[in-house]
Amino acid sequence: MRIERLFRFPVKGLPAEEITSAAVSAGGGLAGDRAVALGNGSTPVADGQWQSCGSFTALKNDTRLQQWLVSSAPPFITVTAPAAAGAAPLTFDSSDAGGRSAAADYMAAHIPAQGSHARTLVAASHGMFDSRLSGISLINPRTVEALSRAAGVELDPLRYRGNILLDGVPAFGEFELIGKVLRIGDARIAITKSIERCPATSVNPSTTQVDVNGPRLLASHFGHLHCGIYGTVLDPGTLQAGAEIHIDSNDRDALELVPAKRTPRYLEVVERRQLDGGAVEISLRDPHGWIAAHDEAGTHLRVHLPDPLWRNYTITEVRQDVISIAVRTAGTVSQAMARLQPGDRLLASGPHGSMTASRVLHGSTALLTAGIGITPALGLLRGAEQAPGLRELRLFHVERGSGGELFTRAAALARSLELPARISHVDSLEGRPTAARMAQAIDSCDSVVVCGPAGFTQLALDACQLAGIIPQNIHRETFASPAADLGELLEQYAPARISCSSGAAGFTWRPQDGTLLEALEAQGLNPKSSCRAGACGECVLTLRRGSVGYPLEPSARVEEHQILACMAAPAEDLELQL
């Protein structure tokens, strides 16, 4: 493993310059990297201290920034406005307040403001990085090649704005480095987390045009939003292009800096058990212990295969740093999963999802399941004792043959609860249940959870209608992964006017703007988000007026009057609480 190429970004948001070597300082980054940042006018910015990237001019909000030219000999920086502006270059001393003030005036004259506050160019002693503690970003060109194949377009690794391009690492192998310390010459760098990508990765650094939807490419094809890793410099030194990179035997320093995340990392297969009915139970060890840190009964693990393929699997058991999932050996992803053996490693993320025991188990609750759909019920039941207000539980399961091992375990969990439990098993070989029969099983229920294939789900929804269960009390687990071409699905929606209760300027949404989340980000707004694939529920927004549609059904559930911005498109004019 070595440094293939080395880059510095003297002005945050503007293009990179390639360099052959640079010093790094403890707690900082490459000398002169992100030395200054221009306030975007949305909030006041203070000089001399790190601040959130939302306060600064950023490529994701203004793709024309890629048309600027930048070079530096720290502390001196030369910037040139886009050729169309006809402006002469400006060289300034980034360590001098007067130089920064002159540069701010020059840049603000060519970069539109996003608010009414004064535009200032500020500096921080260790660089204005996106992440406070992460001064170095590393990109793996082999991963970018995998993204290129999925996109059908050759992507330049510079699109991902990394300081170091790695050589000698297989696609997505950089995620194996999280929690480790890299030694490059005298420098030691702790790898702390993966990098979640924003719309800035949609800009081609050569043509300066938006030619690929970067976040959607990752989310739809690979099931996550991460490309590259962040590092924190522990010991100073000098980095040089071509330098060898070694993994330090002492990684305790890195582990102390690694936050518990739901982001992609490699898990180790520790056990594989064959179950009846063509299912396999796989136990995986999370070396970072992140699963236990975020575990909630009912959530799922997302696995990411390099083909690219991805899928969600309910977590049926958690034992400290070991989790279990059950896989039915049907479908390309599940067949690949079923072939895993102890010692194999698997890229996964999570736990994801908001259909948890605390949210859906209350009052009289019915679990309607079919086939491998018993696994979400099993996942929920492991947390039933902590579900507030659960008074009665009903389990209605349909499968081929007599009750299998997973159903037997679920039934035992249900019966172990100190409350009434009604357990029903239907052998589909003897006849499928009717909607009327299922309606009897859920009569007077306060909550109904449906887990199973499409045909069964529709039957269960018909039963809910017969039983008079209102829609907000029906919770569904979906198994399908998003399709790659979300853009085509968005074309069925008509333009709509979007307004926000915060007073932010309204705008007209059009299909080419992407999902509501993407459209809001393009307007300079920063709603929360994480998976961007409808699984985690982080992007929930309150809908004050109007309605939305989902071109692809999300797996995360939301309350009435809430929407998942990352998967939603407006069905009419909207007002959002933001």
Side-chain angles (χ1 to χ4, degrees), residues 125 428 574:
S125 58
S428 60
L574 304 179

Side-chain angles (χ1 to χ4, degrees), residues 388-419:
L390 180 62
R391 299 190 309 273
E392 179 194 15
L393 188 68
R394 307 179 195 180
L395 175 60
F396 187 99
H397 181 62
V398 180
E399 66 180 318
R400 295 168 62 89
S402 57
E405 180 178 340
L406 293 175
F407 168 73
T408 301
R409 283 162 54 181
L413 277 174
R415 293 190 180 102
S416 69
L417 302 173
E418 296 181 357
L419 47 81

